[in-house]
Amino acid sequence: MKNYNLTHLEQLEAEAIFVLRETAAQFERPGLLFSGGKDSIVMAHLAYKAFYPAKSPFPLVHVDTGHNFPETIQFRDQFVDKLGAQLIIGLVQDSINRGTAVEETGPNASRNALQSVTLLETIENNHLDAALGGGRRDEEKARAKERFFSHRDAFGQWDPKNQRPELWNLFNGRKAHGEHFRIFPLSNWTEMDVWQYLKKEEIELPSLYFAHQREIIERNGSLLAVSEFVSPSAKETAKKETVRFRTIGDATCTGAVLSKASNLDEVIAEVAASRITERGTRADDKRSESSMEDRKKQGYF
């Protein structure tokens, strides 16, 4: 039941904290998936508030593709030190070396899809029985099919047609040996809610989220940053533009947007006026109409 004495953001915060506490109560070893992006930063902040003055019971879990923006890794390490949290890193390169994941080849090769394998291996190796993710239902249509407590079978697979009802804020975390859950406390948040909450709580963010000059190329409708992982082909021309990123992920598929928004107020105004979804800048989501749902069934976030 809603408390109408609370503001919209306060209601979302209270709901998310309730889900975080339920996760700690129902699972023996849950972990919080942490990419260094704004949603996972908000999640870690909420976990800090949920259990204060005690420390958050969730280790931060980063699935590292090896193709990160340097700013992301720098922010991640500083953030973890500040919280005094445990950091678990799963390396996609290790999965490739073991032969459990196969490196893509070609001009549009990316390691983003390989994260599913590394994530499942990291969950198994660290005996995690739940993984908290920052997925929101407004991001992409496959996300909207999730529950707060999303069951995964012994192979880490998700079945969108076989999910448990969630009535009266009752969450069923029962599982068989080898199964686990993905938990999504931000399910009812929107991108705008996240930005407004970041401003309200004065939460620090990676510099990538704000306007800066960067050399980019346009590839398949996405503006990709030129780096050691992304080089212009013979038909592409690199140019310097003032851009920022709406999401932070693998540098080979995370597109920038032209922007002059240099602070949270300007970002919020820009998001309010945008007609492109947040994940509309992600090259990996453009591979097929059902790319996200297919990856989620295989164990993706």
Side-chain angles (χ1 to χ4, degrees), residues 19-34:
V19 174
L20 288 164
R21 289 173 176 166
E22 277 291 301
T23 302
Q26 293 197 39
F27 297 96
E28 293 182 10
R29 184 156 168 77
L32 193 154
L33 302 177
F34 187 81

Side-chain angles (χ1 to χ4, degrees), residues 28-100:
E28 293 182 10
R29 184 156 168 77
L32 193 154
L33 302 177
F34 187 81
S35 66
K38 65 183 186 309
D39 298 324
S40 59
I41 291 169
V42 166
M43 287 267 295
H45 178 81
L46 288 164
Y48 171 81
K49 294 186 76 170
F51 301 97
Y52 183 84
K55 282 190 176 182
S56 166
F58 312 126
L60 302 185
V61 182
H62 182 208
V63 178
D64 185 348
T65 66
H67 292 168
N68 296 288
F69 294 100
E71 296 94 329
T72 304
I73 300 301
Q74 182 182 3
F75 180 89
R76 180 200 69 186
D77 293 342
Q78 290 173 348
F79 187 84
V80 169
D81 286 343
K82 184 177 178 181
L83 280 186
Q86 177 192 359
L87 177 64
I88 296 171
I89 301 176
L91 298 171
V92 170
Q93 186 62 55
D94 286 349
S95 299
I96 294 170
N97 294 344
R98 282 191 292 267
T100 52

Side-chain angles (χ1 to χ4, degrees), residues 3-233:
N3 183 343
Y4 291 99
N5 292 321
L6 299 178
T7 67
H8 173 62
L9 288 179
E10 288 170 341
Q11 288 181 27
L12 289 173
E13 179 189 68
E15 178 183 63
I17 285 176
F18 176 77
V19 174
L20 288 164
R21 289 173 176 166
E22 277 291 301
T23 302
Q26 293 197 39
F27 297 96
E28 293 182 10
R29 184 156 168 77
L32 193 154
L33 302 177
F34 187 81
S35 66
K38 65 183 186 309
D39 298 324
S40 59
I41 291 169
V42 166
M43 287 267 295
H45 178 81
L46 288 164
Y48 171 81
K49 294 186 76 170
F51 301 97
Y52 183 84
K55 282 190 176 182
S56 166
F58 312 126
L60 302 185
V61 182
H62 182 208
V63 178
D64 185 348
T65 66
H67 292 168
N68 296 288
F69 294 100
E71 296 94 329
T72 304
I73 300 301
Q74 182 182 3
F75 180 89
R76 180 200 69 186
D77 293 342
Q78 290 173 348
F79 187 84
V80 169
D81 286 343
K82 184 177 178 181
L83 280 186
Q86 177 192 359
L87 177 64
I88 296 171
I89 301 176
L91 298 171
V92 170
Q93 186 62 55
D94 286 349
S95 299
I96 294 170
N97 294 344
R98 282 191 292 267
T100 52
V102 179
E103 183 96 72
E104 291 184 3
T105 58
N108 297 317
S110 172
R111 288 184 172 182
N112 201 52
L114 307 187
Q115 291 181 89
S116 302
V117 174
T118 306
L119 174 59
L120 293 174
E121 291 175 343
T122 303
I123 287 172
E124 182 177 2
N125 294 339
N126 290 276
H127 310 292
L128 302 178
D129 55 357
L132 291 147
R136 307 185 323 267
R137 288 172 182 161
D138 72 320
E139 284 183 271
E140 200 271 349
K141 59 188 179 182
R143 302 274 205 208
K145 298 181 181 180
E146 290 278 18
R147 299 286 193 266
F148 281 100
F149 276 33
S150 185
H151 175 262
R152 297 297 194 268
D153 66 18
F155 297 98
Q157 297 174 321
W158 171 66
D159 182 359
K161 296 179 181 177
N162 184 25
Q163 296 195 76
R164 299 171 181 181
E166 293 180 342
L167 306 174
W168 307 291
N169 288 336
L170 296 175
F171 303 120
N172 183 354
R174 251 186 223 180
K175 57 181 177 52
H177 180 71
E179 298 176 345
H180 72 277
F181 274 76
R182 305 291 170 83
I183 316 291
F184 299 103
L186 304 186
S187 287
N188 288 329
W189 295 52
T190 65
E191 182 187 7
M192 180 62 80
D193 293 329
V194 170
W195 284 114
Q196 290 177 335
Y197 187 77
L198 288 163
K199 180 186 175 183
K200 172 181 172 290
E201 296 289 301
E202 298 180 346
I203 300 172
E204 189 178 354
L205 287 169
S207 58
L208 289 167
Y209 280 117
F210 303 104
H212 58 284
Q213 283 233 316
R214 189 175 288 264
E215 197 172 24
I216 61 165
I217 57 172
E218 183 172 353
R219 179 176 293 172
N220 300 327
S222 295
L223 302 180
L224 301 180
V226 175
S227 66
E228 60 181 304
F229 315 117
V230 178
S231 302
S233 69

